[in-house]
Amino acid sequence: MGAAEYSTTYVSQLQEMLGRVEATTRGGKLAYPEGVEHAVQMVKETHAAGGKLLFIGNGASAAISSHQAADFIRAASVPAFAFNDAPLITCLGNDLGYERVFEVPVGLVGKPGDLLIAISSSGASPNILRGADRGREVGCRLLTLSGFKADNPLRAKGDLSFWVPTMSYGKVEVIHLAILHCICDCVAGR
């Protein structure tokens, strides 16, 4: 298959996959548009109550975290932070173990009323799971984005969770970014 044909197939697969994204709350499944509306409400409520958005993710999900923290600040005027500064990650990883690199800052910075947005393609990264648990302990609400297996542990932790039904890292990451951009655009009033 040539690059042109592959690119057409790739875009078609992304469109099809976006249509199969599952949004769930502790009460059950939502249609994707309802999930986005619920997420927008969570962000607006967080902001109105003086809270902030906290993002955690590894690798490309870390890049998505930084990107979205910047977008929520710039486009939606919502305070947002991503905990993936290299000195912080390497310090905590070296001193406490990589599995604690999000747990510690979320525990120190997270407050009741904040919204923790945990992004993991597999939904099974130990450091993301520990960060999510710590966020819950300090009173944060939890929005998760995951992929791979439908029963991944991160998905089960969210007050609202978006799950992308594919085992492809790249496609999960692209869909996660699209979901978050959509939420940000809605919060910003676009």
Side-chain angles (χ1 to χ4, degrees):
M1 174 183 310
E5 185 179 350
Y6 179 77
S7 68
T8 301
T9 301
Y10 190 85
V11 169
S12 295
Q13 289 171 345
L14 287 174
Q15 288 173 326
E16 184 267 333
M17 210 165 300
L18 189 55
R20 294 188 312 138
V21 168
E22 290 184 12
T24 53
T25 65
R26 296 192 177 272
K29 288 186 180 181
L30 301 173
Y32 171 72
E34 292 173 317
V36 170
E37 183 62 37
H38 190 75
V40 169
Q41 285 309 116
M42 290 174 79
V43 172
K44 287 181 175 181
E45 290 167 5
T46 298
H47 185 53
K52 59 196 169 298
L53 308 182
L54 306 174
F55 287 88
I56 57 174
N58 292 307
S61 297
I64 292 168
S65 294
S66 289
H67 180 156
Q68 289 305 298
D71 280 358
F72 274 96
I73 289 169
R74 179 192 54 79
S77 300
V78 175
F81 303 91
F83 296 115
N84 55 26
D85 181 66
L88 175 66
I89 295 283
T90 57
C91 170
L92 295 175
N94 182 66
D95 294 353
L96 304 174
Y98 192 67
E99 69 281 355
R100 297 195 63 204
V101 298
F102 298 122
E103 173 188 2
V104 172
V106 166
L108 291 170
V109 176
K111 302 288 183 239
D114 288 345
L115 178 60
L116 176 61
I117 301 172
I119 308 168
S120 171
S121 292
S122 70
S125 300
N127 61 349
I128 300 295
L129 296 173
R130 287 178 74 131
D133 289 341
R134 188 67 180 127
R136 179 82 63 213
E137 289 169 8
V138 299
C140 296
R141 289 192 297 169
L142 186 60
L143 169 62
T144 73
L145 295 100
S146 64
F148 294 13
K149 296 180 181 177
D151 63 349
N152 72 68
L154 182 61
R155 184 181 185 195
K157 292 182 182 294
D159 294 304
L160 173 63
S161 297
F162 290 96
W163 173 68
V164 182
T166 183
M167 296 293 287
S168 167
Y169 274 104
K171 290 177 181 148
V172 171
E173 293 159 358
V174 168
I175 298 295
H176 285 171
L177 186 59
I179 292 168
L180 288 167
H181 267 298
C182 182
I183 294 166
C184 185
D185 285 351
C186 290
V187 171
R190 293 188 185 143

PDB file of all heavy atoms in Angstrom, residues 65-79:
ATOM      1  N   SER A  65      -0.626  16.147  27.666  1.00  0.00           N
ATOM      2  CA  SER A  65      -0.884  16.832  28.928  1.00  0.00           C
ATOM      3  C   SER A  65      -0.369  18.263  28.895  1.00  0.00           C
ATOM      4  O   SER A  65      -1.090  19.204  29.255  1.00  0.00           O
ATOM      5  CB  SER A  65      -0.227  16.081  30.088  1.00  0.00           C
ATOM      6  OG  SER A  65      -0.828  14.827  30.278  1.00  0.00           O
ATOM      7  N   SER A  66       0.878  18.442  28.484  1.00  0.00           N
ATOM      8  CA  SER A  66       1.452  19.788  28.400  1.00  0.00           C
ATOM      9  C   SER A  66       0.704  20.652  27.402  1.00  0.00           C
ATOM     10  O   SER A  66       0.397  21.825  27.667  1.00  0.00           O
ATOM     11  CB  SER A  66       2.926  19.714  28.005  1.00  0.00           C
ATOM     12  OG  SER A  66       3.691  19.209  29.047  1.00  0.00           O
ATOM     13  N   HIS A  67       0.413  20.084  26.249  1.00  0.00           N
ATOM     14  CA  HIS A  67      -0.291  20.800  25.193  1.00  0.00           C
ATOM     15  C   HIS A  67      -1.648  21.274  25.698  1.00  0.00           C
ATOM     16  O   HIS A  67      -2.026  22.444  25.525  1.00  0.00           O
ATOM     17  CB  HIS A  67      -0.434  19.850  23.999  1.00  0.00           C
ATOM     18  CG  HIS A  67      -1.130  20.398  22.813  1.00  0.00           C
ATOM     19  ND1 HIS A  67      -0.935  19.895  21.560  1.00  0.00           N
ATOM     20  CD2 HIS A  67      -2.046  21.380  22.673  1.00  0.00           C
ATOM     21  CE1 HIS A  67      -1.689  20.555  20.692  1.00  0.00           C
ATOM     22  NE2 HIS A  67      -2.371  21.457  21.350  1.00  0.00           N
ATOM     23  N   GLN A  68      -2.381  20.381  26.341  1.00  0.00           N
ATOM     24  CA  GLN A  68      -3.724  20.738  26.788  1.00  0.00           C
ATOM     25  C   GLN A  68      -3.708  21.689  27.979  1.00  0.00           C
ATOM     26  O   GLN A  68      -4.571  22.562  28.082  1.00  0.00           O
ATOM     27  CB  GLN A  68      -4.532  19.482  27.085  1.00  0.00           C
ATOM     28  CG  GLN A  68      -4.901  18.726  25.828  1.00  0.00           C
ATOM     29  CD  GLN A  68      -5.630  19.605  24.824  1.00  0.00           C
ATOM     30  OE1 GLN A  68      -6.709  20.128  25.085  1.00  0.00           O
ATOM     31  NE2 GLN A  68      -5.021  19.795  23.653  1.00  0.00           N
ATOM     32  N   ALA A  69      -2.753  21.536  28.877  1.00  0.00           N
ATOM     33  CA  ALA A  69      -2.638  22.510  29.976  1.00  0.00           C
ATOM     34  C   ALA A  69      -2.447  23.904  29.394  1.00  0.00           C
ATOM     35  O   ALA A  69      -3.106  24.866  29.819  1.00  0.00           O
ATOM     36  CB  ALA A  69      -1.489  22.134  30.914  1.00  0.00           C
ATOM     37  N   ALA A  70      -1.577  24.026  28.403  1.00  0.00           N
ATOM     38  CA  ALA A  70      -1.351  25.328  27.767  1.00  0.00           C
ATOM     39  C   ALA A  70      -2.613  25.826  27.067  1.00  0.00           C
ATOM     40  O   ALA A  70      -2.962  27.002  27.164  1.00  0.00           O
ATOM     41  CB  ALA A  70      -0.194  25.224  26.769  1.00  0.00           C
ATOM     42  N   ASP A  71      -3.317  24.935  26.380  1.00  0.00           N
ATOM     43  CA  ASP A  71      -4.525  25.353  25.664  1.00  0.00           C
ATOM     44  C   ASP A  71      -5.635  25.788  26.606  1.00  0.00           C
ATOM     45  O   ASP A  71      -6.339  26.761  26.335  1.00  0.00           O
ATOM     46  CB  ASP A  71      -5.023  24.231  24.750  1.00  0.00           C
ATOM     47  CG  ASP A  71      -4.259  24.153  23.444  1.00  0.00           C
ATOM     48  OD1 ASP A  71      -3.358  24.992  23.218  1.00  0.00           O
ATOM     49  OD2 ASP A  71      -4.550  23.257  22.643  1.00  0.00           O
ATOM     50  N   PHE A  72      -5.822  25.064  27.708  1.00  0.00           N
ATOM     51  CA  PHE A  72      -6.867  25.461  28.649  1.00  0.00           C
ATOM     52  C   PHE A  72      -6.549  26.820  29.270  1.00  0.00           C
ATOM     53  O   PHE A  72      -7.444  27.625  29.500  1.00  0.00           O
ATOM     54  CB  PHE A  72      -7.103  24.393  29.720  1.00  0.00           C
ATOM     55  CG  PHE A  72      -8.083  23.330  29.281  1.00  0.00           C
ATOM     56  CD1 PHE A  72      -7.641  22.133  28.742  1.00  0.00           C
ATOM     57  CD2 PHE A  72      -9.446  23.543  29.392  1.00  0.00           C
ATOM     58  CE1 PHE A  72      -8.537  21.161  28.334  1.00  0.00           C
ATOM     59  CE2 PHE A  72     -10.364  22.581  28.984  1.00  0.00           C
ATOM     60  CZ  PHE A  72      -9.905  21.378  28.448  1.00  0.00           C
ATOM     61  N   ILE A  73      -5.278  27.088  29.522  1.00  0.00           N
ATOM     62  CA  ILE A  73      -4.888  28.400  30.044  1.00  0.00           C
ATOM     63  C   ILE A  73      -5.113  29.480  28.992  1.00  0.00           C
ATOM     64  O   ILE A  73      -5.768  30.491  29.242  1.00  0.00           O
ATOM     65  CB  ILE A  73      -3.414  28.392  30.499  1.00  0.00           C
ATOM     66  CG1 ILE A  73      -3.258  27.566  31.784  1.00  0.00           C
ATOM     67  CG2 ILE A  73      -2.901  29.816  30.713  1.00  0.00           C
ATOM     68  CD1 ILE A  73      -1.813  27.285  32.170  1.00  0.00           C
ATOM     69  N   ARG A  74      -4.588  29.261  27.795  1.00  0.00           N
ATOM     70  CA  ARG A  74      -4.634  30.279  26.745  1.00  0.00           C
ATOM     71  C   ARG A  74      -6.030  30.470  26.173  1.00  0.00           C
ATOM     72  O   ARG A  74      -6.524  31.588  26.083  1.00  0.00           O
ATOM     73  CB  ARG A  74      -3.670  29.903  25.610  1.00  0.00           C
ATOM     74  CG  ARG A  74      -3.669  30.893  24.453  1.00  0.00           C
ATOM     75  CD  ARG A  74      -2.948  30.364  23.226  1.00  0.00           C
ATOM     76  NE  ARG A  74      -3.429  29.076  22.768  1.00  0.00           N
ATOM     77  CZ  ARG A  74      -4.534  28.867  22.046  1.00  0.00           C
ATOM     78  NH1 ARG A  74      -5.305  29.873  21.711  1.00  0.00           N
ATOM     79  NH2 ARG A  74      -4.887  27.656  21.672  1.00  0.00           N
ATOM     80  N   ALA A  75      -6.670  29.387  25.780  1.00  0.00           N
ATOM     81  CA  ALA A  75      -7.933  29.500  25.045  1.00  0.00           C
ATOM     82  C   ALA A  75      -9.156  29.613  25.950  1.00  0.00           C
ATOM     83  O   ALA A  75     -10.129  30.255  25.576  1.00  0.00           O
ATOM     84  CB  ALA A  75      -8.095  28.293  24.120  1.00  0.00           C
ATOM     85  N   ALA A  76      -9.103  28.983  27.129  1.00  0.00           N
ATOM     86  CA  ALA A  76     -10.296  28.934  27.969  1.00  0.00           C
ATOM     87  C   ALA A  76     -10.134  29.681  29.296  1.00  0.00           C
ATOM     88  O   ALA A  76     -11.061  29.726  30.091  1.00  0.00           O
ATOM     89  CB  ALA A  76     -10.679  27.488  28.230  1.00  0.00           C
ATOM     90  N   SER A  77      -8.938  30.225  29.540  1.00  0.00           N
ATOM     91  CA  SER A  77      -8.650  30.956  30.785  1.00  0.00           C
ATOM     92  C   SER A  77      -8.926  30.125  32.034  1.00  0.00           C
ATOM     93  O   SER A  77      -9.426  30.626  33.032  1.00  0.00           O
ATOM     94  CB  SER A  77      -9.446  32.267  30.842  1.00  0.00           C
ATOM     95  OG  SER A  77      -9.095  33.090  29.755  1.00  0.00           O
ATOM     96  N   VAL A  78      -8.591  28.835  31.953  1.00  0.00           N
ATOM     97  CA  VAL A  78      -8.761  27.917  33.074  1.00  0.00           C
ATOM     98  C   VAL A  78      -7.373  27.551  33.595  1.00  0.00           C
ATOM     99  O   VAL A  78      -6.522  27.101  32.820  1.00  0.00           O
ATOM    100  CB  VAL A  78      -9.516  26.635  32.646  1.00  0.00           C
ATOM    101  CG1 VAL A  78      -9.598  25.627  33.791  1.00  0.00           C
ATOM    102  CG2 VAL A  78     -10.918  26.984  32.136  1.00  0.00           C
ATOM    103  N   PRO A  79      -7.099  27.723  34.884  1.00  0.00           N
ATOM    104  CA  PRO A  79      -5.795  27.330  35.433  1.00  0.00           C
ATOM    105  C   PRO A  79      -5.557  25.839  35.220  1.00  0.00           C
ATOM    106  O   PRO A  79      -6.436  25.018  35.517  1.00  0.00           O
ATOM    107  CB  PRO A  79      -5.906  27.646  36.927  1.00  0.00           C
ATOM    108  CG  PRO A  79      -7.012  28.637  37.039  1.00  0.00           C
ATOM    109  CD  PRO A  79      -7.973  28.311  35.919  1.00  0.00           C
TER     110      PRO A  79
END
